Every structure is written in C-alpha cells, then in structure tokens.
Amino acid sequence: MSEYTRIKDTRLYTTWESMVARCHLTTHSGYYKYGAKGIAVCNKWRSNYRVFMAWALMTGYTDKLTIERVDFTQGYCPQNCTWIPMAAQAGNRGKSARNTSGYVGVSWHKDKKQWIARTTVYKKRVEIGKFNTPEEAHEARRLFFIEQGLEEHLRVYNLQHKHST
C-alpha cells in the first residue's frame, strides 16, 4: 500500500476532505449550510492537506475529536478552529428554521402550552424543564450548562446567542 493510500484512508484526511467539499463544492449535500453562507476553508488548508495535518497534530488532534469553528459565523482557519469531543458537537447546532422562540434549544409544546428547554448531552436528549416564556426557558438552559459543569456546551451556547441576548 502506498503512502498516499494510507493517508487518504485516515479519519483526519476524511475530515479535511469533507470540510473542503461542504465549503467549496456546490454539489455537496451540505454546501447550502456552509459554502452558500460564505463559510470557506483558508487557502493554506484548502490547497494542501499536509499543512492542515501538521496544524491538527500540533493542536491535539485524535480520532476521538472533531473540528470545531470557535466563531461559527467565520470559516475554517487555524485562528478559528479547535478540536472538541464528538459528544459536544451534538449540541453545536444553530436554530432550526422552524424555531419560533428565537433561542436554540427552546421550543413551544402545543399540548402543554408551555415553552420547553432541551439540550443533548453525550448523545442523550435532556429535557431541562417547562416554562411560561421563551426567555425563562432560555435562561434555564444556560444555568443548566453552568450547574452541570458543561463548559463546552456553555461556550457553544454563548456563541449561538451572542447576538440575541
């Protein structure tokens, strides 16, 4: 097996290849969430996998981690990326297009006629509680992250809501 084949078969290579494709290949299924919104991969990484690989290894990459943009409104580059556990990535989603509360993780329960605060922790959905207003649910979700010591969830929460609070 050649060196090229071994590199191409690694999880890190697949991460790089997927990152470039979703940002720069208009036919990629995730392009509308990344490239179409102006999210790009810096030229150094995009043009040279080995440069990306060197950065990844110097910054603590392991196969149990996933790449994370610190500021999700910006692209992939050394100054805006880090590695986080895969379980933390599950909570790193933006607001759904159907969201009526204005807050990530807060939704209206039509039967109970209350706002529900939820999150995902280590691949398990957690209902934090039911509230009278979306603001109460939003605050309860933030406090849940603090009380449970979920620093990574809190960091993502702060990025998701930096313009809405």
Side-chain angles (χ1 to χ4, degrees):
M1 190 184 308
S2 72
E3 179 185 345
Y4 176 76
T5 304
R6 283 188 295 242
I7 288 173
K8 194 172 181 181
D9 291 339
T10 65
R11 186 171 172 283
L12 184 58
Y13 184 87
T14 303
T15 297
W16 172 78
E17 189 174 48
S18 296
M19 174 181 66
V20 171
R22 68 180 167 259
C23 292
H24 299 282
L25 185 61
T26 58
T27 57
H28 187 275
S29 63
Y31 180 79
Y32 75 99
K33 293 180 187 178
Y34 294 88
K37 291 184 176 181
I39 304 299
V41 178
C42 71
N43 289 334
K44 287 181 183 179
W45 285 1
R46 183 179 177 197
S47 63
N48 191 331
Y49 166 71
R50 290 186 184 277
V51 172
F52 173 76
M53 180 178 71
W55 170 84
L57 297 175
M58 286 188 324
T59 56
Y61 171 80
T62 72
D63 284 349
K64 294 182 179 186
L65 300 174
T66 182
I67 196 162
E68 165 81 347
R69 287 176 292 132
V70 175
D71 180 345
F72 67 93
T73 66
Q74 301 299 310
Y76 292 92
C77 65
Q79 301 81 10
N80 192 43
C81 290
T82 188
W83 298 103
I84 64 170
M86 290 182 211
Q89 192 73 280
N92 188 15
R93 293 191 185 108
K95 248 184 343 182
S96 161
R98 300 176 302 162
N99 183 302
T100 59
S101 72
Y103 302 107
V104 174
V106 175
S107 59
W108 178 251
H109 193 292
K110 64 181 178 182
D111 295 335
K112 299 195 187 296
K113 299 192 181 337
Q114 286 186 299
W115 293 97
I116 310 292
R118 294 184 178 118
T119 192
T120 303
V121 180
Y122 304 114
K123 300 183 184 179
K124 292 188 180 184
R125 192 168 185 173
V126 176
E127 185 174 304
I128 297 164
K130 297 173 186 74
F131 304 89
N132 293 323
T133 68
E135 293 78 16
E136 289 173 0
H138 172 68
E139 179 63 9
R141 191 169 182 264
R142 185 184 72 80
L143 291 173
F144 175 83
F145 295 145
I146 293 168
E147 291 164 2
Q148 298 298 315
L150 298 168
E151 289 84 8
E152 189 59 37
H153 284 72
L154 185 60
R155 186 185 69 74
V156 169
Y157 168 94
N158 288 332
L159 286 170
Q160 289 171 330
H161 296 289
K162 70 180 180 179
H163 300 295
S164 64
T165 55

